[in-house]
Amino acid sequence: MRVAVTGTSGRVGGFVAQGVLRMGAELLPLNRPDYHLGDAPDLSGCHALVHCAFQHVPGLYRGGEGDDPDRFVRDNHLGSITLFETAKAAGLSRVIFLSTRAVYGTYPAGTVLSEDHTPNPNTLYGQVKWQTEQDLAALNSATFRTASIRATGVYGPGPHNKWRTLFNDYQAGRPIAPRRGTEVHGADLASAVNLLLTSTEDGPFNVSDILLDRQVLLSKVAHLTGTPHSPPRRSKDIVNAMTCERLLDLGWKPRGIDGLVTCLPELIESQT
């Protein structure tokens, strides 16, 4: 199998690329300067496409449009449609799109979100992802199977370690705001992609694993590093978790909180 993956130099795309190689497939990375959103790349010989590339202000997804929302929509929505149509014309049989939990918008606090909940995005980021999901689904056919991954926050070691600044600030004694949210390890997201690459199931799939409070995370960092500073208080936020039954039914097994604890030393080491 030859799999094209866009955005392999990014946080999530890098994990997906590693996962594709682990499954023994041939990887075609699509990155700048050779590929830009809006291009129609040569996908000859590819069997599948995983679309992770996303144009945004550095460090921001929600709010990633900055002061140019028109370009944000053009690059990310219209550019994605061009890519999907190119894949279908090239005869690929499988396309997976990296979407986001932001498509759900603001359901009441405590709502457990499943794929049956109607998306109601309240940010341009969520709107663009949701519209792109729908346009990809409209291309679905018996010979061109499509799926979208609604991912939560993605953590993991490496150059894009999302907690690098958080860990550095905590160890330096700088104030840390309380927060809790849902997370999934990048390698577990990649394993979800691999499952879908070998499946004909279509539609959206939630990808989430643990509900994590910064107080818990930084307490574990303190234990491992000997940091003397007190972690922030526990957050009072009520988070809308996501169910992942569709993926679990396919055999997906995320690592859970024990897996986070196991990989935490590597995460701390990769912050520098």
Side-chain angles (χ1 to χ4, degrees):
M1 180 189 293
R2 189 172 193 236
V3 182
V5 181
T6 67
T8 59
S9 61
R11 177 190 299 167
V12 179
F15 284 115
V16 171
Q18 293 169 17
V20 166
L21 293 173
R22 278 196 300 271
M23 73 183 292
E26 180 184 353
L27 172 69
L28 173 64
L30 296 175
N31 291 306
R32 291 182 174 182
D34 300 316
Y35 170 75
H36 295 78
L37 278 164
D39 292 349
D42 182 1
L43 299 175
S44 301
C46 290
H47 303 87
L49 165 72
V50 185
H51 180 32
C52 302
F54 193 74
Q55 180 64 39
H56 59 94
V57 173
L60 292 177
Y61 294 92
R62 294 174 176 85
E65 67 273 16
D67 58 2
D68 196 349
D70 291 338
R71 180 180 178 182
F72 184 82
V73 172
R74 181 178 66 250
D75 288 348
N76 293 304
H77 178 215
L78 300 182
S80 296
I81 301 311
T82 296
L83 178 65
F84 299 152
E85 291 175 342
T86 300
K88 188 166 189 176
L92 274 67
S93 58
R94 188 60 157 156
V95 171
I96 298 171
F97 170 56
L98 180 66
S99 188
T100 170
R101 67 167 290 141
V103 301
Y104 290 116
T106 54
Y107 272 88
T111 301
V112 179
L113 300 168
S114 75
E115 295 90 346
D116 293 331
H117 283 83
T118 302
N120 185 31
N122 63 333
T123 62
L124 185 59
Y125 169 63
Q127 291 165 12
V128 166
K129 288 287 193 177
W130 171 224
Q131 187 60 61
T132 304
E133 276 194 38
Q134 294 176 85
D135 289 339
L136 175 60
L139 295 172
N140 191 66
S141 71
T143 57
F144 187 73
R145 310 299 296 193
T146 68
S148 293
I149 285 182
R150 294 175 179 169
T152 188
V154 179
Y155 74 92
H160 299 290
N161 178 1
K162 67 179 289 184
W163 291 326
R164 176 179 295 162
T165 299
L166 176 66
F167 289 176
N168 284 336
D169 285 347
Y170 171 60
Q171 290 178 277
R174 289 185 279 270
I176 304 295
R179 186 183 182 279
R180 65 193 311 221
T182 52
E183 305 285 350
V184 66
H185 194 287
D188 292 336
L189 185 147
S191 70
V193 170
N194 288 356
L195 278 172
L196 293 177
L197 283 172
T198 57
S199 168
T200 58
E201 294 292 322
D202 53 22
F205 289 83
N206 287 345
V207 176
S208 184
D209 184 17
I210 58 175
L211 178 59
L212 183 65
D213 194 294
R214 279 183 177 175
Q215 194 273 342
V216 173
L217 174 63
L218 294 177
S219 293
K220 297 183 183 301
V221 170
H223 176 73
L224 289 171
T225 63
T227 300
H229 311 296
S230 297
R233 62 171 174 80
R234 282 187 178 256
S235 172
K236 296 181 180 179
D237 296 338
I238 301 175
V239 178
N240 294 350
M242 294 198 298
T243 62
C244 302
E245 295 303 319
R246 293 200 71 200
L247 268 177
L248 295 172
D249 287 345
L250 293 178
W252 186 56
K253 296 178 181 179
R255 65 195 59 205
I257 191 67
D258 290 341
L260 166 64
V261 173
T262 298
C263 73
L264 195 51
E266 186 180 7
L267 288 167
I268 294 170
E269 182 178 349
S270 71
Q271 78 185 80
T272 57

